[in-house]
Amino acid sequence: MAGESDYGAFTEKFIIQPSSSPDQELPLKGLTFAVKDIFDMEGYVTGFGNPDWARTHSAATTTAPAVLAMLSGGATCMGRTVMDEMAYSINGENKHYGTPKNICSPDRLPGGSSSGSAVAVAGMLVDFSLGTDTGGSVRVPASYCGILGFRPSHGVVSTTGVIPLAQSLDTVGWFARDADILNRVGRVLLQLPEVEPVKPTHITIAEDCFPLLSIPNHRVTSVLVKSVEKLFGGHIVKYACLGDYVKDKVPTLKHFKGDRLENQEYNVAPLAALSSAYRRLERSEFKNNHGEWVSTIKPDLGPGISERVWAAVRSTDENLDVCHSVKTELRAALTALLGDHGILAIPTVPGLPPKLQTEPPTLETFRFRAFSLLSIAGMSSFCQVSIPLGTYDNLPISVSLLAKHGSDGFLLNLVETLYGTLREQIDIAQELSY
């Protein structure tokens, strides 16, 4: 258990040196990293955020390939980080190990489930960190903590040696404070060659999604648009009503109409239906993976997570074919919208980080709203990056960029190209007190 000086980010601190020779020139040489407590590391029990899980499982006999890749790339591991229990939350709270401190806003949630990994980077305890992202577990804490977070295309980074939440949605993601390190880590994990950045053909602003924000949406969109105009010209900025497009191109979503939050004013109805499909798939796969253990052990779980876990375990068999059809249709639809070098811009989350001790019903409502946005990448298998855009009302805000499945290198390069100009525009926006 880490102390206050570590902002509560770590469950265990230790040092594992790089597996390479110190005089080798490697892409991650000299960098330090932390690892979410969901990755197997030889000789350590993978805790999955819960003491009952740790108690009933043995130490790992091998190390997850994603962790080995970081060590082989020249980075030094500094320990394992706190996570939400069983990775089944986006809040960042853990009743057993404590809630890691949000450095940007100490009275706010850090976001989860990769909470400790995000806080370790935001608190400058490490240069980068590994997390996992199924429904938003890298993107959300990156947004709340004011750092970069990358969810890769589904299936492009090995999840071997990572405890599954829902395999058809799980990804290994990572955090960094600057775009250069984010890119370097990505190129090692994705085994990508160094290539010249490719200019985007268009950046499409999902104009129906930004009004979901609980802050003035121009504070987010104007920074992005002005940066793009400065670098590439305004002609590449496009606008689309994403909900209407998805409704038209993903007909199987009609099976998910009638979600209890679908028609509320803060949601885009087709995206709310998409999040319903996402939740059905996640719930079923979670039950298949962990239902027997939960039913047998009856673990001590925190509020919110306990209800979600038991609801999944008690759920009946559902028609998952329709969920997979939604995934197939959405991936084809967004691929057609973006093409090889197009970008989709959406909010990462629907507003500012919620306060600590927020009432559970309020958090659940925020969660439903968030998944209307977060499910887009999850159900399309696209890559997504959350980029910090400074603060509003002294709280961190962000924007997300998505690119088609397999375009991870293109997206990482674009973030690095954009980042300096974005910082300039953020400074201007904050001086104008948007």
Side-chain angles (χ1 to χ4, degrees):
M1 293 283 293
E4 186 65 29
S5 62
D6 300 314
Y7 310 115
F10 288 90
T11 56
E12 293 179 272
K13 293 192 76 177
F14 49 78
I15 294 177
I16 301 178
Q17 298 290 349
S19 54
S20 47
S21 166
D23 53 1
Q24 277 183 277
E25 282 305 316
L26 294 166
L28 306 180
K29 184 178 180 180
L31 299 181
T32 58
F33 73 106
V35 178
K36 182 178 182 176
D37 194 18
I38 197 171
F39 291 82
D40 284 349
M41 298 178 71
E42 185 179 358
Y44 295 90
V45 176
T46 310
F48 208 21
N50 180 270
D52 288 322
W53 182 277
R55 176 178 57 80
T56 55
H57 288 80
S58 303
T61 56
T62 57
T63 298
V67 178
L68 290 175
M70 300 297 91
L71 295 168
S72 299
T76 300
C77 180
M78 305 302 290
R80 299 158 69 85
T81 55
V82 174
M83 60 176 282
D84 291 47
E85 296 171 84
M86 304 189 81
Y88 216 164
S89 175
I90 57 170
N91 293 337
E93 300 170 299
N94 189 303
K95 68 175 272 188
H96 308 285
Y97 303 118
T99 297
K101 184 178 180 180
N102 187 330
I103 312 298
C104 288
S105 37
D107 66 334
R108 304 280 168 152
L109 292 170
S113 62
S114 308
S115 53
S117 289
V119 168
V121 170
M124 300 187 184
L125 304 175
V126 292
D127 296 305
F128 69 93
S129 61
L130 296 182
T132 57
D133 189 308
T134 302
S137 291
V138 164
R139 292 164 288 164
V140 173
S143 180
Y144 288 5
C145 292
I147 57 175
L148 291 151
F150 197 91
R151 174 199 165 95
S153 302
H154 184 264
V156 300
V157 178
S158 172
T159 54
T160 300
V162 180
I163 301 173
L165 176 62
Q167 289 91 326
S168 66
L169 303 160
D170 292 343
T171 64
V172 169
W174 60 99
F175 301 93
R177 288 186 302 276
D178 70 72
D180 169 66
I181 291 177
L182 189 84
N183 199 348
R184 285 159 63 188
V185 172
R187 295 197 167 272
V188 172
L189 276 174
L190 297 157
Q191 301 176 5
L192 294 174
E194 290 291 336
V195 294
E196 285 297 310
V198 176
K199 178 181 173 180
T201 51
H202 56 97
I203 294 183
T204 298
I205 311 291
E207 59 185 346
D208 54 338
C209 291
F210 285 93
L212 300 181
L213 286 167
S214 59
I215 64 169
N217 65 74
H218 71 273
R219 170 58 183 86
V220 175
T221 55
S222 64
V223 169
L224 176 62
V225 169
K226 288 174 182 176
S227 300
V228 170
E229 287 174 346
K230 184 173 180 180
L231 282 171
F232 306 118
H235 65 283
I236 75 163
V237 178
K238 311 292 183 188
Y239 293 86
C241 190
L242 187 63
D244 287 350
Y245 181 80
V246 167
K247 182 180 179 181
D248 183 48
K249 301 292 185 181
V250 188
T252 308
L253 271 183
K254 66 179 181 289
H255 296 287
F256 296 92
K257 289 183 71 174
D259 179 276
R260 66 185 179 92
L261 290 177
E262 182 185 328
N263 296 316
Q264 294 192 23
E265 62 183 20
Y266 49 68
N267 260 329
V268 177
L271 301 184
L274 184 67
S275 72
S276 292
Y278 164 85
R279 289 194 305 275
R280 180 187 295 186
L281 185 57
E282 179 188 55
R283 184 170 60 234
S284 176
E285 293 188 4
F286 178 89
K287 178 183 178 179
N288 288 339
N289 289 324
H290 305 304
E292 185 178 342
W293 180 83
V294 170
S295 299
T296 303
I297 301 299
K298 297 179 174 54
D300 180 15
L301 298 166
I305 293 177
S306 178
E307 291 83 351
R308 203 170 300 124
V309 163
W310 281 104
V313 170
R314 291 169 179 149
S315 63
T316 54
D317 289 338
E318 297 176 284
N319 176 13
L320 297 186
D321 288 345
V322 71
C323 297
H324 290 291
S325 293
V326 168
K327 289 189 72 180
T328 301
E329 291 170 4
L330 182 67
R331 182 161 163 177
L334 294 184
T335 300
L337 178 68
L338 298 185
D340 287 339
H341 298 116
I343 293 290
L344 177 66
I346 62 171
T348 306
V349 289
L352 302 169
K355 286 186 176 181
L356 295 168
Q357 281 89 50
T358 295
E359 288 297 314
T362 304
L363 277 181
E364 250 338 83
T365 299
F366 188 89
R367 175 185 171 83
F368 276 109
R369 292 175 62 198
F371 273 97
S372 291
L373 299 166
L374 296 166
S375 299
I376 298 167
M379 292 299 280
S380 66
S381 299
F382 278 27
C383 48
Q384 178 175 341
V385 62
S386 180
I387 305 173
L389 293 184
T391 60
Y392 179 83
D393 211 12
N394 293 317
L395 294 169
I397 57 175
S398 65
V399 71
S400 269
L401 305 180
L402 289 81
K404 79 167 194 175
H405 185 274
S407 293
D408 305 69
F410 161 65
L411 185 56
L412 285 164
N413 278 340
L414 177 63
V415 175
E416 190 166 356
T417 301
L418 266 176
Y419 201 60
T421 309
L422 280 171
R423 305 307 302 172
E424 292 169 9
Q425 294 301 324
I426 291 164
D427 291 342
I428 293 168
Q430 296 194 161
E431 282 174 17
L432 293 172
S433 300
Y434 270 87

